[in-house]
PDB file of all heavy atoms in Angstrom:
ATOM      1  N   ILE B 252     100.213 105.867  78.457  1.00 97.00           N
ATOM      2  CA  ILE B 252     100.282 106.495  79.781  1.00 97.00           C
ATOM      3  C   ILE B 252     101.700 106.340  80.343  1.00 97.00           C
ATOM      4  O   ILE B 252     102.301 107.315  80.830  1.00 97.00           O
ATOM      5  CB  ILE B 252      99.248 105.885  80.754  1.00 97.00           C
ATOM      6  CG1 ILE B 252      97.828 106.277  80.328  1.00 97.00           C
ATOM      7  CG2 ILE B 252      99.512 106.337  82.188  1.00 97.00           C
ATOM      8  CD1 ILE B 252      96.724 105.600  81.125  1.00 97.00           C
ATOM      9  N   MET B 253     102.248 105.143  80.234  1.00 97.00           N
ATOM     10  CA  MET B 253     103.614 104.904  80.743  1.00 97.00           C
ATOM     11  C   MET B 253     104.620 105.785  79.999  1.00 97.00           C
ATOM     12  O   MET B 253     105.544 106.346  80.601  1.00 97.00           O
ATOM     13  CB  MET B 253     104.015 103.431  80.577  1.00 97.00           C
ATOM     14  CG  MET B 253     103.231 102.455  81.413  1.00 97.00           C
ATOM     15  SD  MET B 253     103.320 102.778  83.189  1.00 97.00           S
ATOM     16  CE  MET B 253     104.836 101.937  83.620  1.00 97.00           C
ATOM     17  N   LEU B 254     104.438 105.900  78.693  1.00 97.00           N
ATOM     18  CA  LEU B 254     105.341 106.700  77.874  1.00 97.00           C
ATOM     19  C   LEU B 254     105.321 108.156  78.321  1.00 97.00           C
ATOM     20  O   LEU B 254     106.368 108.797  78.486  1.00 97.00           O
ATOM     21  CB  LEU B 254     104.909 106.581  76.411  1.00 97.00           C
ATOM     22  CG  LEU B 254     105.927 106.916  75.327  1.00 97.00           C
ATOM     23  CD1 LEU B 254     107.152 106.022  75.454  1.00 97.00           C
ATOM     24  CD2 LEU B 254     105.296 106.722  73.957  1.00 97.00           C
ATOM     25  N   THR B 255     104.108 108.686  78.501  1.00 97.00           N
ATOM     26  CA  THR B 255     103.958 110.073  78.929  1.00 97.00           C
ATOM     27  C   THR B 255     104.631 110.293  80.280  1.00 97.00           C
ATOM     28  O   THR B 255     105.336 111.279  80.492  1.00 97.00           O
ATOM     29  CB  THR B 255     102.471 110.454  79.035  1.00 97.00           C
ATOM     30  OG1 THR B 255     101.823 110.123  77.817  1.00 97.00           O
ATOM     31  CG2 THR B 255     102.306 111.952  79.292  1.00 97.00           C
ATOM     32  N   LEU B 256     104.418 109.370  81.197  1.00 98.00           N
ATOM     33  CA  LEU B 256     105.017 109.495  82.530  1.00 98.00           C
ATOM     34  C   LEU B 256     106.537 109.408  82.465  1.00 98.00           C
ATOM     35  O   LEU B 256     107.251 110.161  83.143  1.00 98.00           O
ATOM     36  CB  LEU B 256     104.481 108.411  83.466  1.00 98.00           C
ATOM     37  CG  LEU B 256     102.998 108.511  83.820  1.00 98.00           C
ATOM     38  CD1 LEU B 256     102.557 107.287  84.616  1.00 98.00           C
ATOM     39  CD2 LEU B 256     102.715 109.776  84.620  1.00 98.00           C
ATOM     40  N   SER B 257     107.029 108.494  81.608  1.00 97.00           N
ATOM     41  CA  SER B 257     108.481 108.289  81.544  1.00 97.00           C
ATOM     42  C   SER B 257     109.189 109.493  80.946  1.00 97.00           C
ATOM     43  O   SER B 257     110.404 109.620  81.050  1.00 97.00           O
ATOM     44  CB  SER B 257     108.805 107.020  80.757  1.00 97.00           C
ATOM     45  OG  SER B 257     108.500 107.213  79.385  1.00 97.00           O
ATOM     46  N   LYS B 258     108.419 110.380  80.286  1.00 97.00           N
ATOM     47  CA  LYS B 258     109.023 111.593  79.717  1.00 97.00           C
ATOM     48  C   LYS B 258     108.694 112.816  80.568  1.00 97.00           C
ATOM     49  O   LYS B 258     108.899 113.960  80.160  1.00 97.00           O
ATOM     50  CB  LYS B 258     108.476 111.845  78.311  1.00 97.00           C
ATOM     51  CG  LYS B 258     108.857 110.820  77.286  1.00 97.00           C
ATOM     52  CD  LYS B 258     108.482 111.306  75.886  1.00 97.00           C
ATOM     53  CE  LYS B 258     108.735 110.220  74.850  1.00 97.00           C
ATOM     54  NZ  LYS B 258     107.702 110.255  73.815  1.00 97.00           N
ATOM     55  N   GLY B 259     108.133 112.578  81.741  1.00 97.00           N
ATOM     56  CA  GLY B 259     107.625 113.682  82.548  1.00 97.00           C
ATOM     57  C   GLY B 259     108.575 114.150  83.632  1.00 97.00           C
ATOM     58  O   GLY B 259     109.794 114.098  83.483  1.00 97.00           O
ATOM     59  N   THR B 260     107.977 114.602  84.730  1.00 97.00           N
ATOM     60  CA  THR B 260     108.767 115.117  85.851  1.00 97.00           C
ATOM     61  C   THR B 260     109.440 113.949  86.580  1.00 97.00           C
ATOM     62  O   THR B 260     109.030 112.797  86.421  1.00 97.00           O
ATOM     63  CB  THR B 260     107.863 115.851  86.854  1.00 97.00           C
ATOM     64  OG1 THR B 260     106.977 114.883  87.443  1.00 97.00           O
ATOM     65  CG2 THR B 260     107.038 116.936  86.168  1.00 97.00           C
ATOM     66  N   PRO B 261     110.470 114.231  87.394  1.00 97.00           N
ATOM     67  CA  PRO B 261     111.109 113.163  88.169  1.00 97.00           C
ATOM     68  C   PRO B 261     110.095 112.363  89.003  1.00 97.00           C
ATOM     69  O   PRO B 261     110.199 111.143  89.105  1.00 97.00           O
ATOM     70  CB  PRO B 261     112.085 113.907  89.081  1.00 97.00           C
ATOM     71  CG  PRO B 261     112.395 115.163  88.348  1.00 97.00           C
ATOM     72  CD  PRO B 261     111.153 115.527  87.576  1.00 97.00           C
ATOM     73  N   GLU B 262     109.098 113.067  89.550  1.00 97.00           N
ATOM     74  CA  GLU B 262     108.089 112.333  90.338  1.00 97.00           C
ATOM     75  C   GLU B 262     107.294 111.373  89.469  1.00 97.00           C
ATOM     76  O   GLU B 262     106.944 110.272  89.893  1.00 97.00           O
ATOM     77  CB  GLU B 262     107.099 113.299  90.992  1.00 97.00           C
ATOM     78  CG  GLU B 262     107.650 114.048  92.176  1.00 97.00           C
ATOM     79  CD  GLU B 262     107.535 115.545  91.976  1.00 97.00           C
ATOM     80  OE1 GLU B 262     107.521 115.961  90.789  1.00 97.00           O
ATOM     81  OE2 GLU B 262     107.442 116.272  92.967  1.00 97.00           O
ATOM     82  N   GLN B 263     106.986 111.811  88.233  1.00 98.00           N
ATOM     83  CA  GLN B 263     106.214 110.951  87.348  1.00 98.00           C
ATOM     84  C   GLN B 263     107.029 109.732  86.910  1.00 98.00           C
ATOM     85  O   GLN B 263     106.498 108.621  86.814  1.00 98.00           O
ATOM     86  CB  GLN B 263     105.743 111.739  86.122  1.00 98.00           C
ATOM     87  CG  GLN B 263     104.605 112.701  86.445  1.00 98.00           C
ATOM     88  CD  GLN B 263     104.207 113.541  85.250  1.00 98.00           C
ATOM     89  OE1 GLN B 263     105.046 114.209  84.641  1.00 98.00           O
ATOM     90  NE2 GLN B 263     102.939 113.498  84.906  1.00 98.00           N
ATOM     91  N   ILE B 264     108.320 109.959  86.647  1.00 98.00           N
ATOM     92  CA  ILE B 264     109.178 108.835  86.255  1.00 98.00           C
ATOM     93  C   ILE B 264     109.242 107.825  87.400  1.00 98.00           C
ATOM     94  O   ILE B 264     109.125 106.613  87.198  1.00 98.00           O
ATOM     95  CB  ILE B 264     110.593 109.323  85.875  1.00 98.00           C
ATOM     96  CG1 ILE B 264     110.514 110.209  84.636  1.00 98.00           C
ATOM     97  CG2 ILE B 264     111.527 108.141  85.624  1.00 98.00           C
ATOM     98  CD1 ILE B 264     111.807 110.931  84.288  1.00 98.00           C
ATOM     99  N   ALA B 265     109.407 108.351  88.607  1.00 98.00           N
ATOM    100  CA  ALA B 265     109.460 107.461  89.781  1.00 98.00           C
ATOM    101  C   ALA B 265     108.138 106.710  89.943  1.00 98.00           C
ATOM    102  O   ALA B 265     108.115 105.515  90.275  1.00 98.00           O
ATOM    103  CB  ALA B 265     109.758 108.275  91.031  1.00 98.00           C
ATOM    104  N   MET B 266     107.027 107.402  89.672  1.00 98.00           N
ATOM    105  CA  MET B 266     105.698 106.789  89.764  1.00 98.00           C
ATOM    106  C   MET B 266     105.596 105.621  88.788  1.00 98.00           C
ATOM    107  O   MET B 266     105.092 104.550  89.123  1.00 98.00           O
ATOM    108  CB  MET B 266     104.651 107.865  89.428  1.00 98.00           C
ATOM    109  CG  MET B 266     103.282 107.647  90.005  1.00 98.00           C
ATOM    110  SD  MET B 266     102.068 108.795  89.304  1.00 98.00           S
ATOM    111  CE  MET B 266     102.317 110.241  90.285  1.00 98.00           C
ATOM    112  N   ALA B 267     106.082 105.846  87.574  1.00 98.00           N
ATOM    113  CA  ALA B 267     106.010 104.802  86.551  1.00 98.00           C
ATOM    114  C   ALA B 267     106.879 103.607  86.924  1.00 98.00           C
ATOM    115  O   ALA B 267     106.461 102.447  86.804  1.00 98.00           O
ATOM    116  CB  ALA B 267     106.434 105.369  85.195  1.00 98.00           C
ATOM    117  N   GLN B 268     108.090 103.875  87.393  1.00 98.00           N
ATOM    118  CA  GLN B 268     108.987 102.785  87.768  1.00 98.00           C
ATOM    119  C   GLN B 268     108.402 101.985  88.927  1.00 98.00           C
ATOM    120  O   GLN B 268     108.429 100.746  88.924  1.00 98.00           O
ATOM    121  CB  GLN B 268     110.375 103.331  88.159  1.00 98.00           C
ATOM    122  CG  GLN B 268     111.378 102.256  88.568  1.00 98.00           C
ATOM    123  CD  GLN B 268     111.704 101.276  87.446  1.00 98.00           C
ATOM    124  OE1 GLN B 268     112.240 101.657  86.397  1.00 98.00           O
ATOM    125  NE2 GLN B 268     111.379 100.005  87.638  1.00 98.00           N
ATOM    126  N   ASP B 269     107.816 102.705  89.871  1.00 98.00           N
ATOM    127  CA  ASP B 269     107.213 102.037  91.028  1.00 98.00           C
ATOM    128  C   ASP B 269     106.068 101.120  90.595  1.00 98.00           C
ATOM    129  O   ASP B 269     105.916  99.999  91.090  1.00 98.00           O
ATOM    130  CB  ASP B 269     106.721 103.094  92.020  1.00 98.00           C
ATOM    131  CG  ASP B 269     105.843 102.493  93.089  1.00 98.00           C
ATOM    132  OD1 ASP B 269     106.372 101.841  93.993  1.00 98.00           O
ATOM    133  OD2 ASP B 269     104.591 102.645  92.985  1.00 98.00           O
TER     134      ASP B 269
END
Side-chain angles (χ1 to χ4, degrees):
Chain B
I252 291 173
M253 294 302 275
L254 200 59
T255 308
L256 293 173
S257 70
K258 294 191 186 144
T260 66
E262 285 123 334
Q263 286 176 306
I264 296 171
M266 205 190 277
Q268 180 63 62
D269 168 75

